[in-house]
Structure formats: C-alpha cells, structure tokens
Amino acid sequence: WASDPYSLIKFGIPSRVASVEKNIEPTHVEPDKRTVPSKRTPQSYYMMHTPHKSAYLEIIELAIERMKNGSTLLLLPDTRDIDRVLQNLEGKSADFEVIRLDSSLPRAQRYENYLKVSIKGNVLVIGNRSALFAPIQNLTSIIVAFEKSEQYFEKKHPYWNTRDSVFLRAKTENLNLYFTGYVPSSEMAFQIENRNISFITQKANLNTSAFPQMQGELLPDRIIPAIRKSLEKGTVLFLVPRKGYANALLCAKCRNIALCKCGARLLVSSQISDPQCSVCSVSVKDWQCSWCAGTKRYVAARGIDRFHEEIGRAFPNTSIQLSSAPNILEEVAEKTKIVIATTGSIPGGSKEYSAVVLLEGQRFLAASSSRFEELVYESFFEAAAHVSEKGSVFIVLDAFHPLVAAITKWNPGLLIRKILRENEEAFLPPFSAVAVLTVEKQESVILKNGLAKSIKDGRLPTSSQVFLSQDAESDDARILVSVPSENRDVLAAFLLELSRKRAISKKSFVSIALDPFTLL
C-alpha cells in the first residue's frame, strides 16, 4: 500500500484496556487435527446468491459448513449486516462459539473479544474489515460477504482494501476463501475468467417483463395494470435511484437548469417548499427563471419523496412505506402494500414480494464509470432476489437491453464480460494497477512531470500512464498513475520511496491511494 507497516497495524489491533487483561487467562491452544496445514492447495470460490432466499441465511449456512473444518472468519460490510447475521444465527444449534469483533462494540468489549479469538480454538468470528487482521487460532476459512461493497475500502491512509488483503493472508496461512454477492466485481470476474476462483451458482428463471419509457414518464401505461394485479396478491417493492425530493430543478418553459447566484444547482425538498442551493443552502423565494423569467417549475432527477407522491397518486388508498438512509426499514408492516426503497436500503427482513419494480432503469445505468455500472447491476439483482417464486420482476427499461435477459436467466456473465472488455481497452483495473496521488495544486505539474520522467528513465514500466486532474474549486490536484497489474509491486515500492524522499526534504505531504474504490 506504499506505506510504512505501523500505519496499517493500527487498523488491526484495538486499543488496549489493561483491566480486561486481568480477567483473561492465557492458555496454550493445541492445533486441531482438522486444521493442520496440508500440501493440498487451498481453494477460492465466489458464491452468487440465489433468488427467493435470504442472502443472510445463505451466508450463515456457508459459515456453519466451514466451521466443520476449523475456525472461520466471516467479514461483512457494516454493523447493520452483522446485526442481521447474528439475528438469523439465533436458534441455530451449533457446537462452536460465535464472537463479534467490530467497531460498534464498546472499547473494553472489543479488546476482550480480540483477546478471546487469539486463545480459543474453534470459533466463528464475525466482524467488519478490520477483523481481517485478528490472530484467530486454527483458522481455515475466510468468508467475505457482499464483496463488492464500498465499505471494504479504508478511507484513511494507507487506503487499504479487504479484497487484496484477504488474498495475501490466505496465501500466507494456506486458507480457503469464499466471496459472496449477486454480481461479481470486475476484479473478481477477472479472477473467475482466469480460473483462479471457482464460480458457484444455482440455475433460476425469473418472470421478468420490460416496460420502456416513451415520454420520460415514471410509470409507463402498460405497467400499471400489471402492478395492480400484483398488489392483489401481496406487497410490491419499488427500487428508485436516489433519496430526497428533487436533485435538479428546471424551468418548465425553457427547460434550463435553475442555478443559484453562486453558480450551484437549486434543489427542492418538497412540492411546496422554496428551491434551496445545494452548496450555500440559500433559499430562493418567488423563484423565476433567469433565462425566460418563467415561474413554473419542472422537477428533474426525482428522489424517493417525489416517487412517493407519484406512486401514491397512481395507486390511491394503498399503504406505503419508504426505506432510505438513514431510516432503513428492518421489517415491513403487515398492512403495507407498497415499499419504496433506494439502493442498499431494501428492508432486511426475509419478506418476499409479489412483484419487484425497478424504476428508471436508464437513469440508473447512466453511470459515470464502470464501477458505478457494476453497483447498478448488483442492486438490480439484489432487489430481484426478493421476489416470491410466483412473483414477477418489472423493469422500466427497453426490452432489448441485456440486463433484462440477465435477470431472467439469473446470469450476469454477459454484463460483466462487457465491463471487462471495456476496461481492458481503456487500460483500467483489473488490467492495470492505479495510484491516485492528491497533492497541492501548485506542486501538481512539477510532480506529474517528474513521474513522466521516471517512466522515460525506466524506473516505472514504459507502458505506464500519468494523468493530471485539477478542480477549479479545490486547492488540491489529483494525479493518476497506472501500470500493468503485474507491475503493482514496482509501483508501490516507487511511491513509498517517493513519499520518504519528500518527507526528508520537508516537502508537502502527498496522499497516496493504491487501487481505490473509484478513480474520480
């Protein structure tokens, strides 16, 4: 990670609490015969979650199965996922101890659990990304659930990520690896394509229908009768792109975007509220268009609150619940007939829906990068998995889009191969290793030229590329350095030496992020 070891160690060892140590007796743990390292090469797998079944139950079943061979580490993106797994584990008869290890625990409890996992011989450790470094006795398997989550990427120096670190630990300790998700990330798909990881899935067919938007309407005419039939059978889930009311305001007359005096876009929080600046938060009373002086407003980039209004008008006298951050539903009320959720906020209960409606598919897919396109596919498959066996999936998208066929056959292979080929042509991960350097703007050009000279002199691979990105509103600039993926260690060593020399010469600090979640 182009960093000193101590910057990384602090993420793996919790703060010491001396009083806790007095209550823990150190013991010597004999290696379990089942966990004695063998000459057999450890295996790596990617398990795709199946529809009509809770992903959390599948993860628990996998963990219980792996516990037959020794201690297992189960990593989950955030504390909400850990809570859901622990709730589903209640009532499961198991002959092993479950220990939680994550940042939500009180300081003393976390340190106590950290000491316990280091002395107990057969445990299931459940935690977030920092639990990866726990010294677990007789560890045989690591499970990384929902491997595509952004929560697996550290947002502080040295910006390490769970996926690459897991591979390193598995190689060092001869461990089996299991990744789970609905659609593999491009990095995982690259490993699957090269047969370094085995892909595990079950065949399924979903009743899927596509309804294209003709005039930009929220609900095409033909979809409304289909939703009404589904409401007679049960609850319907709607997946929408974003929260809020309206993330863009246009003039209904000339369709120009409404801007504040500072130049930022105006937002609308409700139907009757005054427009508000997205940057300086200034409210604009008696708004009128600066181009044509029109006063009639047109809401663009609708949010979940606006969807709530329009869906409520389309299906009157129907009980509706909303689920979006930070108010994410855990359970759906019995009388609720419609649930409207944003990406990542689908209620965590095991409720199956008579229909799942994926709204504004084209707006979802209008992503600025392949990374966000992957996340859209993941969210669509996750939502579709909540449909009942006799239910239907309705997608507001053109019928010829490959996503429709992929969900119908429950096979994202074509979608991921498309992203891989595009990334290969653009020399993007996983075909390259990328470092993002954040530096003061006045030094950015000098540093970029220095990196270009290093490529010319052979200190970096000749196929390396350097790009400079400057934002007029920021005091910092970003420099992207990409090298072939097989030369990642060369790039890391070079950047570590660069940061050391800059520190010795008392130059300004350069933030270095290797293989970050997004490049923008």
Side-chain angles (χ1 to χ4, degrees):
W1 306 109
S3 172
D4 62 282
Y6 299 102
S7 296
L8 192 63
I9 288 173
K10 66 182 181 181
F11 292 101
I13 302 177
S15 302
R16 179 175 178 244
V17 181
S19 59
V20 171
E21 296 176 354
K22 299 177 182 178
N23 301 325
I24 300 221
E25 292 292 335
T27 58
H28 175 69
V29 181
E30 292 293 337
D32 193 317
K33 291 181 181 180
R34 295 173 300 178
T35 64
V36 175
S38 64
K39 295 182 180 179
R40 182 176 60 85
T41 303
Q43 300 296 312
S44 298
Y45 303 89
Y46 181 93
M47 183 184 77
M48 181 179 175
H49 293 299
T50 56
H52 321 310
K53 186 175 182 180
S54 169
Y56 296 100
L57 288 176
E58 288 186 317
I59 292 168
I60 290 170
E61 291 171 0
L62 175 61
I64 293 175
E65 177 66 26
R66 297 316 306 163
M67 283 299 300
K68 296 178 182 178
N69 296 324
S71 295
T72 299
L73 172 60
L74 171 57
L75 300 177
L76 292 150
D78 57 35
T79 56
R80 186 178 71 249
D81 294 310
I82 297 174
D83 292 337
R84 291 174 178 175
V85 165
L86 291 175
Q87 289 172 5
N88 282 283
L89 262 174
E90 293 178 1
K92 298 275 185 183
S93 56
D95 58 350
F96 53 82
E97 184 176 355
V98 178
I99 298 180
R100 179 172 185 164
L101 191 62
D102 69 288
S103 56
S104 69
L105 297 174
R107 184 166 170 260
Q109 184 64 54
R110 186 180 181 186
Y111 186 59
E112 181 180 349
N113 289 1
Y114 177 82
L115 296 179
K116 283 181 179 179
V117 302
S118 66
I119 62 176
K120 292 183 178 289
N122 189 38
V123 293
L124 171 61
V125 180
I126 302 177
N128 51 22
R129 61 176 180 266
S130 60
L132 169 64
F133 303 107
I136 303 170
Q137 293 290 336
N138 298 326
L139 181 64
T140 60
S141 302
I142 299 178
I143 302 171
V144 182
F146 309 115
E147 59 90 17
K148 192 179 290 184
S149 173
E150 186 177 359
Q151 301 297 326
Y152 285 129
F153 286 73
E154 178 57 50
K155 295 177 176 60
K156 298 178 182 178
H157 177 77
Y159 307 100
W160 61 279
N161 71 67
T162 302
R163 182 188 58 249
D164 295 336
S165 302
V166 160
F167 280 118
L168 289 172
R169 180 166 188 179
K171 183 178 179 181
T172 303
E173 301 182 28
N174 200 31
L175 306 174
N176 291 315
L177 284 182
Y178 293 83
F179 299 89
T180 81
Y182 289 96
V183 178
S185 62
S186 56
E187 290 85 0
M188 200 58 57
F190 180 73
Q191 298 290 339
I192 294 171
E193 193 175 72
N194 291 332
R195 303 188 179 226
N196 297 323
I197 294 178
S198 301
F199 185 71
I200 302 173
T201 186
Q202 295 183 15
K203 291 184 178 180
N205 284 287
L206 300 185
N207 182 18
T208 307
S209 302
F211 300 86
Q213 291 175 303
M214 304 305 294
Q215 302 293 333
E217 67 278 14
L218 175 64
L219 295 171
D221 292 338
R222 291 191 302 111
I223 201 176
I224 294 177
I227 295 176
R228 285 199 179 117
K229 288 182 181 179
S230 298
L231 287 171
E232 295 173 0
K233 301 175 183 177
T235 305
V236 175
L237 171 66
F238 287 80
L239 185 71
V240 300
R242 59 184 66 83
K243 61 181 183 178
Y245 185 82
N247 295 321
L249 178 65
L250 277 66
C251 173
K253 184 178 179 181
C254 66
R255 296 302 172 94
N256 276 300
I257 297 176
L259 302 177
C260 176
K261 291 181 180 179
C262 71
R265 292 191 178 189
L266 295 178
L267 309 180
V268 181
S269 59
S270 69
Q271 186 176 13
I272 60 174
S273 66
D274 293 320
Q276 189 177 46
C277 179
S278 59
V279 174
C280 63
S281 300
V282 172
S283 294
V284 181
K285 294 185 177 181
D286 301 323
W287 173 86
Q288 66 176 10
C289 179
S290 59
W291 294 90
C292 68
T295 57
K296 190 174 181 181
R297 305 185 303 187
Y298 176 81
V299 171
R302 292 168 288 203
I304 189 171
D305 295 327
R306 176 68 176 178
F307 285 115
H308 183 198
E309 285 184 6
E310 298 191 24
I311 292 173
R313 286 196 293 265
F315 306 100
N317 303 319
T318 304
S319 56
I320 300 176
Q321 279 188 282
L322 306 184
S323 180
S324 65
N327 302 313
I328 300 176
L329 294 177
E330 285 301 323
E331 297 293 338
V332 178
E334 292 184 6
K335 295 182 179 180
T336 298
K337 299 297 291 181
I338 292 178
V339 176
I340 307 175
T342 55
T343 301
S345 302
I346 296 174
S350 57
K351 184 178 183 64
E352 291 187 342
Y353 299 90
S354 59
V356 174
V357 185
L358 308 177
L359 292 176
E360 295 204 315
Q362 200 58 54
R363 191 178 296 276
F364 264 109
L365 294 167
S368 59
S369 70
S370 59
R371 176 70 72 186
F372 287 108
E373 188 178 352
E374 292 175 27
L375 294 177
V376 170
Y377 295 151
E378 177 84 3
S379 62
F380 275 21
F381 272 81
E382 179 188 4
H386 286 77
V387 72
S388 63
E389 291 189 14
K390 296 183 179 180
S392 302
V393 178
F394 304 136
I395 308 176
V396 181
L397 189 67
D398 293 325
F400 56 79
H401 196 286
L403 177 62
V404 178
I407 292 179
T408 302
K409 298 178 181 179
W410 204 249
N411 182 4
L414 181 62
L415 304 175
I416 293 300
R417 283 194 293 271
K418 165 187 168 290
I419 291 177
L420 280 178
R421 300 291 75 81
E422 290 175 350
N423 288 2
E424 185 176 15
E425 292 178 5
F427 195 55
L428 292 172
F431 300 94
S432 67
V434 179
V436 178
L437 283 63
T438 305
V439 63
E440 293 180 0
K441 189 175 291 185
Q442 59 265 29
E443 293 192 33
S444 59
V445 176
I446 297 174
L447 183 55
K448 175 185 178 295
N449 293 337
L451 291 169
K453 188 175 185 304
S454 298
I455 297 173
K456 185 177 180 180
D457 295 343
R459 284 175 287 174
L460 285 173
T462 55
S463 56
S464 302
Q465 297 179 358
V466 182
F467 302 95
L468 174 62
S469 174
Q470 293 182 333
D471 187 352
E473 299 180 357
S474 175
D475 295 330
D476 294 328
R478 293 158 64 89
I479 300 174
L480 277 68
V481 186
S482 60
V483 301
S485 55
E486 60 269 19
N487 298 122
R488 186 190 185 280
D489 292 342
V490 176
L491 177 62
F494 175 87
L495 294 176
L496 177 59
E497 187 64 21
L498 172 66
S499 62
R500 284 174 175 170
K501 289 184 177 180
R502 288 183 65 88
I504 292 172
S505 59
K506 298 184 179 180
K507 293 183 179 179
S508 62
F509 175 73
V510 176
S511 173
I512 301 172
L514 266 170
D515 295 326
F517 184 73
T518 58
L519 303 182
L520 299 177

